[in-house]
Amino acid sequence: MRATAAEVLGIEVSLLQSGMGGVAGPELACAVSNAGAAGCAGGYKLVGDQLSAMLARLTSGTDRPVGVNLIPEVVGPDELDQQVAQVLDETPPQVHLSLFGLPGDAVFDRIAAAGRQLVVQVGTVDEGVRAAERGAVVVVQGIEAGGHLLGESSRDELVAELREKVPAACLVAAGGIGSPEEAGRALAAGADGVLLGTVFVATRESRAHAYFKEAITAADAVDTVITDVYEIGWPGRRHRVLATAVTSDPQQPAKFIGKTVVEGKPYLVPRFSSAVPTDATSGRIEEMAMYCGLSCAAVSGEPTAAEVVAEFARVLPPTGAEIEE
Ligand SMILES: Cc1cc2nc3c(=O)[nH]c(=O)nc-3n(C[C@H](O)[C@H](O)[C@H](O)COP(=O)(O)O)c2cc1C
């Protein structure tokens, strides 16, 4: 018998919310965790005072298990070390770390030594096996996913292959899950829980710009494209976004098209920036990076995070359930 994702993370429903940089602030993460699932705040490039301010809001908003997401390849090893140190120093033990892509061995060791749960998102079988061998909850990302893509396989194919290779691992399926029925398919393929990104972008507590939320609600799977054009700030990794005038004509000049504020600091947004449009962004929102998975087809309205958790809870394994190996 295997534990459910809920059991491993100390939550009630085997549902994880993706820690999306810019979009998933402490407000969304706490709302998800307070509803019984695992919320996660996007750490992205925050470090020092900016990261401390975010962590303070996160830890004052919930006493339940909640995560902080970091992206090793975006910040590099030194800054990642600093971010990890801050999370470990400034948050209580029920706060877990969530990483997009495998970190180096030293990071695995440090998080394990601190007694914190680690969640690692992967896109290939080999990476999944490595993360599982280091005791992480493995988020298995399929090509259906919104945002940056770690592999090339479809979600359930990858889940099934990994389940065979690491039968005892805690596997969480991600990519293209917009409805409880789709979550059910991922569980049938061998997942112990699911992670949702796009569905949570459209929630009331998300910090996504209103135009971005409405575009997701209106979109169908065919309105998304895999591209590499939004590369300023995060080069060299393909991403699934809503098709825009920039994805269809990437030859345009890389001039500034807007401005934004991140944790109190103002920034200009160039065309091709990897930054998502948030409620603090102004300018040509329709040209910015609106990461979006095939899951958008099932998204409607602007539900609260708690409504999303309740909707998916009916198909997801709770704490106390055991999964037949
Ligand atoms: C707007 C947006 C931003 C994202 N940002 C991050 C991020 O900062 N860190 C991360 O680990 N994953 C990020 N992701 C990817 C998700 O973790 C996940 O792979 C994806 O959302 C799953 O597919 P779905 O969007 O169809 O649910 C992002 C996804 C979206 C849609």
Side-chain angles (χ1 to χ4, degrees):
M1 291 290 190
R2 235 174 32 240
T4 63
E7 207 116 49
V8 175
L9 290 167
I11 53 178
E12 288 158 30
V13 183
S14 295
L15 172 63
L16 282 71
Q17 166 248 314
S18 165
M20 301 171 280
V23 166
E27 301 73 19
L28 175 59
C30 293
V32 172
S33 285
N34 289 336
C40 189
Y44 197 48
K45 296 184 182 180
L46 297 179
V47 73
D49 290 349
Q50 286 184 306
L51 182 56
S52 294
M54 189 276 271
L55 294 175
R57 293 209 306 285
L58 183 70
T59 53
S60 66
T62 188
D63 293 330
R64 308 250 189 129
V66 70
V68 177
N69 179 262
L70 302 173
I71 308 176
E73 75 176 8
V74 156
V75 292
D78 293 346
E79 206 148 292
L80 180 66
D81 275 350
Q82 203 185 328
Q83 289 180 314
V84 170
Q86 273 191 265
V87 176
L88 296 178
D89 288 350
E90 298 173 26
T91 65
Q94 72 272 17
V95 175
H96 65 262
L97 282 105
S98 145
L99 301 178
F100 184 82
L102 283 177
D105 283 344
V107 173
F108 273 114
D109 292 342
R110 185 170 194 184
I111 293 170
R116 298 295 180 104
Q117 182 63 57
L118 178 60
V119 175
V120 178
Q121 188 159 180
V122 302
T124 66
V125 172
D126 286 353
E127 289 168 356
V129 170
R130 265 198 67 201
E133 282 170 354
R134 301 298 308 247
V137 169
V138 185
V139 176
V140 184
Q141 187 203 48
I143 197 80
E144 303 91 337
H148 291 79
L149 297 172
L150 290 156
E152 295 183 354
S153 306
S154 68
R155 181 196 70 220
D156 292 347
E157 221 173 80
L158 199 53
V159 167
E161 244 184 285
L162 261 171
R163 177 52 71 213
E164 252 188 66
K165 287 251 161 67
V166 281
C170 183
L171 303 181
V172 172
I177 302 174
S179 66
E181 292 68 34
E182 193 63 32
R185 283 190 271 279
L187 296 180
D192 302 317
V194 301
L195 174 141
L196 310 179
T198 301
V199 167
F200 280 112
V201 176
T203 58
R204 215 167 294 169
E205 296 88 346
S206 136
R207 294 208 50 206
H209 192 282
Y211 179 94
F212 182 16
K213 290 186 183 182
E214 281 161 25
I216 282 182
T217 305
D220 229 322
V222 292
D223 299 318
T224 72
V225 289
I226 295 177
T227 178
D228 58 4
V229 301
Y230 291 107
E231 58 162 11
I232 297 178
W234 188 346
R237 189 167 286 285
R238 297 182 314 153
H239 33 273
R240 188 185 287 279
V241 290
L242 288 172
T244 64
V246 172
T247 61
S248 59
D249 179 14
Q251 302 311 320
Q252 305 171 58
K255 62 172 197 161
F256 292 116
I257 58 168
K259 47 190 182 175
T260 194
V261 180
V262 180
E263 288 297 333
K265 253 189 166 173
Y267 298 88
L268 290 172
V269 180
R271 185 178 278 137
F272 310 117
S273 168
S274 59
V276 291
T278 70
D279 56 10
T281 308
S282 58
R284 303 169 76 105
I285 307 296
E286 69 283 2
E287 292 191 21
M288 296 182 189
M290 291 182 280
Y291 303 109
C292 179
L294 299 185
S295 41
C296 63
V299 175
S300 61
E302 193 184 356
T304 63
E307 284 166 351
V308 171
V309 174
E311 187 194 1
F312 281 80
R314 60 187 176 85
V315 298
L316 293 173
T319 302
E322 279 182 330
I323 300 172
E324 199 85 46
E325 275 181 36

